[in-house]
Amino acid sequence: MYKFLFSLAFFVNLNGYELAENYSYKNTLVHSTDLFPEISQKFEILKIPSDKEHYRVDAQVIAKTFELNGITLDISKTRYVNFTKHSPVDFTPLKTQLETMLREYYPSIRIEEITIIPRGYLSSLPKEVRGVFDDRFYQHPSGTFYIVDGQGLRRYLDYSVRATLSVLHTTQKITRRERLNGFNTLLKPIPFVSFKDKPLTALPHDPSRFRSNLKPGHPLTLRNIETVPLVLKNEKVIVEVRNESVVVEFVATATQEGLLYDIITIQKSDGKRAKAKVIGENRVELQ
């Protein structure tokens, strides 16, 4: 993510101030206080050529300038620092698009702020601009997308979202294959962070169960649950035998569980086993 000079978030750790990789600038003359507003010492860092819209500097050069003024910078995560000229563009259409897309996945999301910063200088946006986002953008509060400019070129931008989601959490110790319900789960608001899969913001419409054991207070995503099979192992099932227009039914025991149209094994009352296709809840068709 880029940081705006004169309104930068800063980081302080035991090694000193942490230098970011990307900055957006308005003035070509960059001072120490532009990078770290809380620093009391104001001194010149560099002057960016006026004809440049993007300027790259070795992080060690900046760190050395600070060191000469008695300030230590942490550059362990940054090799080069990129300065990009601030784009005088209104990104409202793209912010609106992103907000609409997020609400399609999370109707109850509470969005506080959306920030969009181009990776290069943009003087304007196409009239009918539309961003192209990653398929899993809804799992992360920040990322990169692109637009196509008037010349047909891709222009990449970074975005970040500050928001709150109400996500289902377990209220007790969960055992594998336990059914999901309103007694063992509870909606809790949490910051919109990166998720390994889509978080659950409501109880699923279809009967569902947990895939694994979970501790109390665990936030739930789609990967934590699965649909309850229509046929469960060791449960009685009605077996249909079709012969032209004649249908015969008998009762057997499922030796496997199965979802709709799965082929499973059943055991008849005489102990013999056969293959059957799941066609409904506790109902199969002999194959």
Side-chain angles (χ1 to χ4, degrees):
M1 284 295 129
Y2 290 84
K3 295 182 178 180
F4 283 104
L5 301 187
F6 307 108
S7 59
L8 299 177
F10 60 90
F11 304 88
V12 182
N13 57 32
L14 295 178
N15 296 320
Y17 298 95
E18 184 175 328
L19 189 64
E21 184 177 359
N22 299 293
Y23 292 93
S24 176
Y25 70 90
K26 291 183 179 179
N27 299 319
T28 56
L29 187 59
V30 181
H31 292 88
S32 57
T33 50
D34 297 333
L35 274 63
F36 303 100
E38 76 286 359
I39 289 180
S40 58
Q41 297 172 257
K42 182 177 180 179
F43 49 88
E44 184 179 328
I45 301 298
L46 75 157
K47 182 174 177 58
I48 300 173
S50 58
D51 61 338
K52 296 287 186 180
E53 295 176 349
H54 181 81
Y55 198 66
R56 192 182 192 193
V57 183
D58 192 313
Q60 293 186 6
V61 173
I62 295 179
K64 186 65 176 179
T65 304
F66 274 83
E67 184 181 336
L68 291 173
N69 286 273
I71 299 173
T72 301
L73 291 187
D74 177 7
I75 60 172
S76 59
K77 300 177 182 177
T78 306
R79 185 177 180 183
Y80 293 98
V81 180
N82 300 295
F83 292 89
T84 302
K85 185 177 180 180
H86 174 62
S87 299
V89 172
D90 181 5
F91 293 107
T92 299
L94 293 171
K95 291 181 181 180
T96 301
Q97 177 194 347
L98 179 55
E99 180 174 352
T100 301
M101 292 168 62
L102 285 170
R103 292 195 185 281
E104 290 178 359
Y105 283 91
Y106 313 117
S108 62
I109 189 172
R110 293 185 291 278
I111 297 176
E112 300 170 33
E113 182 181 27
I114 295 178
T115 301
I116 293 179
I117 300 176
R119 289 198 166 185
Y121 179 73
L122 286 178
S123 59
S124 62
L125 291 178
K127 289 184 178 180
E128 301 297 328
V129 65
R130 186 162 183 83
V132 180
F133 292 80
D134 183 85
D135 290 341
R136 297 187 178 182
F137 77 96
Y138 58 86
Q139 294 177 214
H140 307 284
S142 62
T144 302
F145 69 100
Y146 71 85
I147 62 173
V148 178
D149 66 15
Q151 288 71 46
L153 300 175
R154 290 185 179 184
R155 304 298 296 269
Y156 287 87
L157 305 94
D158 292 321
Y159 72 90
S160 63
V161 180
R162 185 158 53 89
T164 303
L165 278 179
S166 290
V167 178
L168 282 174
H169 288 64
T170 56
T171 59
Q172 60 194 44
K173 184 178 180 180
I174 300 298
T175 57
R176 181 172 178 264
R177 293 186 176 177
E178 180 179 342
R179 293 212 176 198
L180 187 75
N181 55 54
F183 297 102
N184 54 24
T185 60
L186 176 69
L187 278 175
K188 292 174 58 178
I190 61 172
F192 180 33
V193 296
S194 290
F195 297 96
K196 293 182 179 179
D197 205 336
K198 182 182 177 182
L200 292 179
T201 57
L203 289 172
H205 294 297
D206 297 324
S208 302
R209 65 185 185 183
F210 294 96
R211 289 180 179 271
S212 60
N213 299 336
L214 296 174
K215 295 180 180 179
H218 186 90
L220 299 176
T221 65
L222 285 177
R223 67 170 52 190
N224 295 126
I225 66 169
E226 61 186 5
T227 302
V228 175
L230 293 174
V231 172
L232 297 174
K233 185 178 180 180
N234 298 326
E235 293 289 325
K236 297 296 183 182
V237 293
I238 297 175
V239 184
E240 292 185 6
V241 181
R242 295 181 177 272
N243 184 8
E244 296 181 354
S245 60
V246 178
V247 179
V248 178
E249 296 181 348
F250 64 90
V251 177
T253 301
T255 61
Q256 295 174 296
E257 62 182 29
L259 298 170
L260 188 64
Y261 304 134
D262 282 351
I263 304 297
I264 64 170
T265 302
I266 60 170
Q267 184 171 312
K268 303 177 184 178
S269 57
D270 60 4
K272 293 183 179 179
R273 298 195 173 193
K275 295 291 184 182
K277 179 170 67 175
V278 178
I279 58 174
E281 186 173 3
N282 296 322
R283 182 174 287 272
V284 299
E285 181 180 293
L286 196 67
Q287 297 299 288

